[in-house]
Amino acid sequence: MSGTALRDLNTLPASERKSEGSSKGNFTKPFNENINENVDNRQKKNPTSLPSSAINDSEVANAEAEVGVSEVEYIESENLNDLEDVDTRLSTLLVGLDSKDWVLVCEALNNVRRLSIFHRDAMFDKLGNIILLVVKSLKNPRSAVCKTAIMTAEDIFKAYGDHVIDSVDPLLGQLLLKSSQDKRFVCEAAEKALIAMTTYVSPMLLLPKLQPYLKHKNPKVRAKSSKCFCRCMPRLGLEGIKGYGIDKLIHVAAAQLSDQLPESREAARKLLLELQTVYEKVHIFPPAAESEHPEMDSWEHFCQSNLSPLNAQAVLRVTSITREGLLVGS
């Protein structure tokens, strides 16, 4: 790693140097040096061991596990400081994101975050290429790079909203995967990024992107996408749900109602209640009083007309039980 890179990292403002839980690669020692020290120590104890050039992937992973996360600080968005040399940082941003030096990648990711927050318009023309490189970092096996990339995605969603929609597919897929894995701190960061996505990106644009993941082979990915899908409903609103199509949405919810994980089924129940409320506002209150066949406007008839008998029965059971519970509770 170059002396310039080390000087850049060592001159971080004091306000950005937090203990574990903030986001920037502020490193006390380069990762490769730690690996070499560990290998040298093993070789001293066992002279017949392989030379450092023969370190395999598993040894690298083990060495990272020993030193990786403890060497990195993750700075929350509100604690990031502005950049002074914006033009210089912009001109070297793509090179830094595509670097083979993971320390420089983390530095570049944090610069993307700063630019998103303080210089949104200046970075706009590079946004598509930047997102592709953020996706590359999301796939990085080093947890430090991966989590910093996740936090970068969250800040990009907050800054650019609907402008990310043309580049969101690979980003969405990786965030759903990361939110489904076992590393808790990575999983929680990915959840926050997905919440930012459903908060700042228009649901009408986002729902078609989410829908394929509801049939993903990984049940955890299906569950996370179900939660995202459900979170979009309040922002979609009555007119938005009507425009998207209650008949389409009820098929989505009915399919998730029998999914493997409770997380998916709970999201489906919430979605069904939202759809029932909207349907009754549109078709029953007050139009049913003027209808010659009010039973044709009922929620029950709507479910039976649009779903298979088994799915209709399951949906009606969920919505009637939940509705009765709400009435009793009130």
Side-chain angles (χ1 to χ4, degrees):
M1 183 170 58
S2 67
T4 302
L6 282 173
R7 285 196 298 274
D8 287 344
L9 291 172
N10 291 331
T11 56
L12 278 174
S15 61
E16 295 190 11
R17 295 177 183 171
K18 296 181 64 180
S19 58
E20 191 173 320
S22 299
S23 160
K24 158 92 194 183
N26 185 24
F27 306 87
T28 58
K29 187 179 292 185
F31 178 68
N32 289 335
E33 291 180 15
N34 283 286
I35 292 178
N36 292 334
E37 285 182 6
N38 292 340
V39 173
D40 290 342
N41 290 335
R42 288 200 300 272
Q43 288 177 336
K44 288 176 184 178
K45 295 177 182 178
N46 182 11
T48 62
S49 62
L50 291 174
S52 59
S53 60
I55 300 174
N56 59 31
D57 291 341
S58 63
E59 287 176 307
V60 173
N62 289 337
E64 181 194 356
E66 294 173 7
V67 300
V69 176
S70 63
E71 301 287 343
V72 184
E73 295 181 293
Y74 303 107
I75 303 173
E76 298 300 331
S77 302
E78 59 270 20
N79 295 325
L80 285 168
N81 292 332
D82 194 1
L83 292 166
E84 295 181 359
D85 48 351
V86 175
D87 291 338
T88 301
R89 296 298 184 181
L90 272 171
S91 65
T92 60
L93 197 58
L94 296 179
V95 174
L97 290 171
D98 204 25
S99 173
K100 294 181 179 180
D101 185 331
W102 71 286
V103 176
L104 295 182
V105 172
C106 285
E107 181 183 7
L109 287 168
N110 280 298
N111 284 338
V112 171
R113 299 176 67 204
R114 293 182 175 93
L115 289 164
S116 296
I117 295 168
F118 298 105
H119 304 280
R120 175 180 177 275
D121 293 339
M123 199 173 70
F124 185 79
D125 291 341
K126 299 177 182 287
L127 188 58
N129 291 329
I130 286 169
I131 289 176
L132 289 176
L133 290 171
V134 171
V135 171
K136 180 181 177 181
S137 292
L138 285 170
K139 298 176 182 179
N140 194 299
R142 289 193 170 92
S143 298
V145 178
C146 180
K147 181 171 177 179
T148 306
I150 292 170
M151 299 177 81
T152 304
E154 179 183 352
D155 287 327
I156 286 174
F157 286 135
K158 291 178 179 178
Y160 295 100
D162 290 354
H163 294 294
V164 307
I165 200 65
D166 291 336
S167 308
V168 82
D169 288 309
L171 190 59
L172 172 58
Q174 283 300 310
L175 289 174
L176 288 170
L177 286 170
K178 298 305 176 185
S179 69
S180 306
Q181 66 171 233
D182 295 329
K183 288 184 180 178
R184 183 176 176 182
F185 75 104
V186 172
C187 179
E188 289 175 349
E191 286 269 17
K192 284 185 63 182
L194 289 171
I195 290 172
M197 178 189 70
T198 54
T199 301
Y200 291 94
V201 180
S202 168
M204 195 65 79
L205 297 175
L206 193 56
L207 289 178
K209 303 289 187 180
L210 281 167
Q211 202 155 347
Y213 292 101
L214 297 172
K215 298 180 180 180
H216 197 276
K217 62 181 180 181
N218 185 332
K220 290 184 178 180
V221 170
R222 293 199 303 271
K224 299 302 181 183
S225 56
S226 293
K227 288 180 66 177
C228 291
F229 204 92
C230 182
R231 277 199 302 268
C232 289
M233 289 304 109
R235 291 190 63 222
L236 201 56
L238 188 148
E239 292 303 320
I241 290 174
K242 286 168 58 181
Y244 195 87
I246 298 180
D247 53 339
K248 294 179 184 177
L249 292 169
I250 198 172
H251 278 283
V252 171
Q256 295 301 300
L257 199 57
S258 59
D259 199 75
Q260 179 179 343
L261 293 182
E263 205 173 3
S264 291
R265 300 195 295 271
E266 180 59 27
R269 282 191 285 269
K270 291 179 180 179
L271 176 54
L272 285 168
L273 287 172
E274 187 82 25
L275 295 178
Q276 183 184 18
T277 299
V278 169
Y279 180 86
E280 290 177 347
K281 283 181 180 179
V282 173
H283 294 274
I284 299 179
F285 307 114
E290 303 172 2
S291 174
E292 295 182 3
H293 304 285
E295 70 280 359
M296 301 294 287
D297 293 321
S298 69
W299 171 250
E300 181 178 358
H301 182 267
F302 173 73
C303 292
Q304 292 171 342
S305 301
N306 285 276
L307 300 169
S308 68
L310 282 177
N311 281 346
Q313 185 180 12
V315 167
L316 291 170
R317 182 169 59 249
V318 166
T319 52
S320 62
I321 290 174
T322 308
R323 180 62 61 87
E324 287 171 5
L326 291 173
L327 291 174
V328 170
S330 62

